[in-house]
Amino acid sequence: MKVRSLVLAATLLASAGLGVGCGDSNIEETKVPKLTLEQSTPQVMPLQLPNPPNRMQSQIDIKFRNTGEADLEVTGVEWVAHPDRLVGIGEKTKDEACEYSADAAPTYDTSGTCSDGEYCWWGSKRCREAGLPAPFVVEPNQLGLIEVIVLPGSESIDCPEAPSGRDVPDNYCGELLVKTNANNNSDIISEGNLRIFFTYEPGSGTIDVDPTTISFSGVAPGTSASREITITNSASEGALDIDQLSLQEHTNMFEITGAESVPTEIAPGSQKTWTLTFNAPSDWDQETFGTNVQILSSGTNEKETLIPVTVSNQLDLPAIKLEPNVLRFDQSTTQTLVISNEGAANLTLQSFSVQPSTLSSAYSFAISGQSIDNGIPSNEKVIQPGSSKEVTIDFTAPGDGNGIATLDIGYNYFVDGDSRNDSATATLLGSAGSSPVGLVSPDSFTFRAASGNSQTRSFAVRNVGTQDLTISSADFSAATGSADDFSVQGATGTIPAGGLKEVTLSYDASDDQMDNVTLTLGSDTAGTPMTVLLFAEQGAQASDVTAQITPGFANDLTTVGEEARFSARQSSGVDQAALDGASWVLLSRPSSSSAFVYKTGADLSFFPDVAGEYKLGLTLYDGTVGSQATYTFTAE
């Protein structure tokens, strides 16, 4: 579930004041602030508890607009009463990341980045200020924003006692007083003051929605496509009321059918399924757009759920996923690799290749119990969307070395009747045991040898071993030409077991001569030495290729565990052959992540495994030289 800001907004409906000057028959209008609350239950906010309990939980948006012609002054925002875990929170205070931990109260930061009076926000892992803002001014036709959250804790919350002698809502659980200069009074505003009540009803259902995102891709004009939405009440007691299930935008292109009409009730431990259908108009221009399915419920963990829906002209593609992507054989010489297809089209397995080839005899493979020594059995080649295959890998220690190798799994699929080849890789650690193991991706780059040409390239260094990897040096050696035009930044240091480090190369050509240079990273890795081959091509023409990464989601924000799709097809100066050879690599990730990708092809499916910030690199070649682009995004 995506973390969304809770905006406490209020807008006061003020009637215009009229004044008559003495002895003057002209009536002059006085400009005043006007404030209008825009939500369906303006004063009552049902609290949402964190799910799971060890994170923070934003509350439902409340909007608050100044519709008048004078500034609306908010002179105070204060609690009348509230549970200890219901607090205010403000803007991001620092650009650097913090390390969120539910056990690190009150800052929830184990890195020391956040100061007292700040929280480490669990989704973006950035420090945010605590407290309720005041005073502030809301200009005409603008929104005022106040955010409140529920802090990590148990699956229940201790509400304060309801005040006596005042009319307050049932299940009272707190009250916020907003003081303004608005001069319009109503049943919810008195002398410019607005009260917001919070409620909590224990024993209601808990809502879980599957899927959390929906994508329609490659739907032709005049045709339809459907996706199922399943809502589960995961509570052991208490019914879950579904009050609304609807599209927020582009409603004329969608319909929701199945299950039963809303409002409806889902019993504890039960679920109901609806079907969302996209009906592409015959005159649809196939431009990408998005909307949301909005679900309003009585869920104690979430009152409003939004399912982002993306419609694009991208074709349905497979999405291969390998679990695990690093296999160890020091404790057991037999391991199991699961190959899953989490995309929307079939993929057909073509080959299993071990590199270096000298280690091919050290590993043997079987799919669903059938050996592939004589090729992949025809009945095991195709993996349909949502399906998987189990591959058993047996390791026999080689006579020399520890058997560290790369497994390349080749597969193909069809796009408009044309076969496309792709691959995915896993790391085989053989009998490396308790040691650091460093791997470089990619391990070669090509530049244009032309005086004055300056370029940078980034690569990733992974430590797939079980001990810290120490890189003590980074040295260049030239087989041809000179190494003086190359430099490296961020290479040395320690990478913890399972860690990833981004390293940047720089090429500043001083002449037009060819260079054949090797960068060697001196380290204590148990594998072969880590090297990067660097070629400056003499006489190569200036390349017109410009790499561009196009994500299949908006706002640089995607969802943990869900497929995040990226494309190189918006790059310029490339043909299909160059796109097929596009090289993707994950350059950085959150410290607790074990996700990684290094592959070729025009399209990439990536599955972020924890919340936080990720960085991808894409390298494209047009002949001998090319371009690299990077893209940073956040998973929540």
Side-chain angles (χ1 to χ4, degrees):
M1 183 196 69
K2 296 187 183 299
V3 179
R4 297 175 303 100
S5 295
L6 172 84
V7 177
L8 171 47
T11 357
L12 302 176
L13 292 174
S15 54
L18 300 179
V20 181
C22 181
D24 190 346
S25 60
N26 294 325
I27 299 177
E28 180 182 352
E29 181 179 3
T30 301
K31 294 181 179 180
V32 296
K34 299 180 180 180
L35 190 148
T36 306
L37 285 169
E38 298 178 339
Q39 62 274 15
S40 57
T41 54
Q43 278 187 289
V44 180
M45 300 299 302
L47 290 178
Q48 306 168 19
L49 298 193
N51 182 26
N54 64 345
R55 64 166 173 80
M56 300 175 183
Q57 176 63 58
S58 292
Q59 302 304 295
I60 297 177
D61 291 349
I62 308 172
K63 297 182 181 179
F64 150 27
R65 183 179 300 277
N66 179 7
T67 55
E69 296 182 346
D71 287 349
L72 176 68
E73 298 176 5
V74 179
T75 56
V77 180
E78 58 190 50
W79 294 110
V80 177
H82 67 109
D84 290 340
R85 290 170 58 195
L86 179 63
V87 299
I89 192 166
E91 297 300 317
K92 181 179 76 171
T93 60
K94 296 181 176 69
D95 289 331
E96 61 266 32
C98 53
E99 290 296 329
Y100 173 80
S101 171
D103 299 323
T107 65
Y108 297 96
D109 174 32
T110 60
S111 67
T113 302
C114 299
S115 307
D116 291 342
E118 296 177 350
Y119 297 119
C120 182
W121 185 252
W122 79 275
S124 62
K125 294 188 177 178
R126 294 294 188 272
C127 302
R128 298 184 65 180
E129 62 186 2
L132 297 170
F136 60 91
V137 173
V138 182
E139 296 178 352
N141 201 34
Q142 298 298 310
L143 286 173
L145 305 180
I146 302 172
E147 183 176 10
V148 297
I149 63 171
V150 173
L151 296 175
S154 65
E155 296 182 359
S156 62
I157 196 166
D158 295 326
C159 295
E161 291 187 5
S164 59
R166 286 199 293 120
D167 186 18
V168 298
D170 295 336
N171 305 309
Y172 178 92
C173 199
E175 184 177 349
L176 191 67
L177 179 64
V178 182
K179 299 178 180 180
T180 78
N181 66 336
N183 68 349
N184 60 308
N185 294 328
S186 67
D187 55 344
I188 60 175
I189 301 171
S190 175
E191 297 182 354
N193 295 334
L194 169 69
R195 292 180 183 270
I196 298 295
F197 296 102
F198 297 89
T199 62
Y200 172 64
E201 184 178 1
S204 184
T206 301
I207 185 171
D208 287 311
V209 178
D210 183 45
T212 55
T213 62
I214 293 176
S215 175
F216 293 97
S217 58
V219 182
T223 64
S224 299
S226 297
R227 303 286 188 268
E228 289 190 341
I229 299 172
T230 298
I231 301 178
T232 301
N233 179 3
S234 55
S236 57
E237 60 181 25
L240 175 69
D241 295 325
I242 305 299
D243 300 316
Q244 183 173 319
L245 179 63
S246 61
L247 272 298
Q248 289 190 314
E249 297 176 302
H250 304 286
T251 56
N252 61 314
M253 294 186 180
F254 295 90
E255 61 178 336
I256 299 177
T257 58
E260 56 189 70
S261 59
V262 175
T264 187
E265 184 179 279
I266 302 178
S270 300
Q271 61 182 211
K272 292 182 180 181
T273 299
W274 285 263
T275 299
L276 174 67
T277 301
F278 170 58
N279 298 307
S282 57
D283 59 351
W284 177 43
D285 58 9
Q286 293 187 284
E287 286 295 318
T288 298
F289 69 90
T291 183
N292 293 287
V293 174
Q294 183 185 43
I295 304 171
L296 300 182
S297 74
S298 63
T300 57
N301 59 317
E302 190 171 9
K303 304 299 181 182
E304 179 186 38
T305 303
L306 296 179
I307 306 176
V309 179
T310 302
V311 178
S312 73
N313 58 10
Q314 295 179 352
L315 296 173
D316 287 341
L317 300 173
I320 194 169
K321 187 176 184 181
L322 306 181
E323 295 180 304
N325 58 22
V326 178
L327 296 101
R328 319 188 64 84
F329 298 86
D330 51 329
Q331 299 296 320
S332 173
T333 57
T334 299
Q335 297 295 328
T336 299
L337 172 68
V338 178
I339 306 175
S340 303
N341 180 6
E342 301 197 13
N346 289 350
L347 67 84
T348 302
L349 297 174
Q350 296 294 313
S351 63
F352 285 71
S353 174
V354 174
Q355 299 295 331
S357 58
T358 54
L359 291 174
S360 294
S361 60
Y363 295 93
S364 60
F365 305 89
I367 298 181
S368 302
Q370 300 184 64
S371 173
I372 65 169
D373 289 344
N374 297 318
I376 302 173
S378 57
N379 63 326
E380 298 292 348
K381 283 189 172 184
V382 177
I383 305 181
Q384 298 177 342
S387 300
S388 62
K389 300 282 186 183
E390 285 193 356
V391 179
T392 302
I393 307 176
D394 289 311
F395 171 67
T396 303
D400 182 24
N402 46 30
I404 298 174
T406 297
L407 171 62
D408 186 276
I409 301 174
Y411 63 96
N412 70 4
Y413 55 95
F414 287 88
V415 177
D416 290 336
D418 295 328
S419 178
R420 300 284 175 84
N421 296 317
D422 211 331
S423 65
T425 60
T427 301
L428 310 175
L429 291 185
S431 56
S434 180
S435 58
V437 179
L439 299 175
V440 173
S441 305
D443 58 5
S444 66
F445 294 99
T446 303
F447 304 87
R448 181 170 61 91
S451 180
N453 179 35
S454 296
Q455 292 180 305
T456 60
R457 297 287 185 265
S458 294
F459 63 89
V461 181
R462 281 191 299 160
N463 178 9
V464 296
T466 57
Q467 300 295 321
D468 287 353
L469 171 70
T470 300
I471 303 175
S472 55
S473 63
D475 300 312
F476 295 95
S477 59
T480 304
S482 171
D484 294 341
D485 292 346
F486 295 92
S487 60
V488 64
Q489 300 82 41
T492 58
T494 299
I495 305 176
L500 178 71
K501 181 182 182 67
E502 179 184 1
V503 181
T504 302
L505 279 164
S506 296
Y507 173 64
D508 296 291
S510 59
D511 55 39
D512 300 341
Q513 301 304 306
M514 182 178 71
D515 298 316
N516 182 348
V517 175
T518 298
L519 169 65
T520 301
L521 301 180
S523 72
D524 56 353
T525 179
T528 57
M530 293 180 287
T531 60
V532 182
L533 303 180
L534 307 171
F535 303 96
E537 295 293 337
Q538 186 179 29
Q541 298 300 311
S543 175
D544 292 329
V545 62
T546 301
Q548 179 176 323
I549 299 174
T550 303
F553 48 87
N555 302 321
D556 302 334
L557 190 65
T558 188
T559 304
V560 171
E562 299 291 334
E563 178 190 8
R565 184 181 289 188
F566 304 87
S567 174
R569 299 180 186 275
Q570 298 300 313
S571 302
S572 59
V574 291
D575 56 16
Q576 186 59 53
L579 286 173
D580 290 342
S583 174
W584 300 85
V585 64
L586 183 67
L587 295 170
S588 64
R589 65 193 181 194
S591 59
S592 58
S593 171
S594 61
F596 187 70
V597 64
Y598 178 49
K599 68 177 291 291
T600 58
D603 300 285
L604 171 68
S605 291
F606 176 72
F607 299 86
D609 57 346
V610 299
E613 190 173 272
Y614 296 79
K615 184 179 181 181
L616 277 175
L618 165 68
T619 304
L620 281 173
Y621 287 96
D622 178 16
T624 57
V625 295
S627 170
Q628 186 182 59
T630 62
Y631 177 73
T632 302
F633 61 98
T634 299
E636 291 188 346

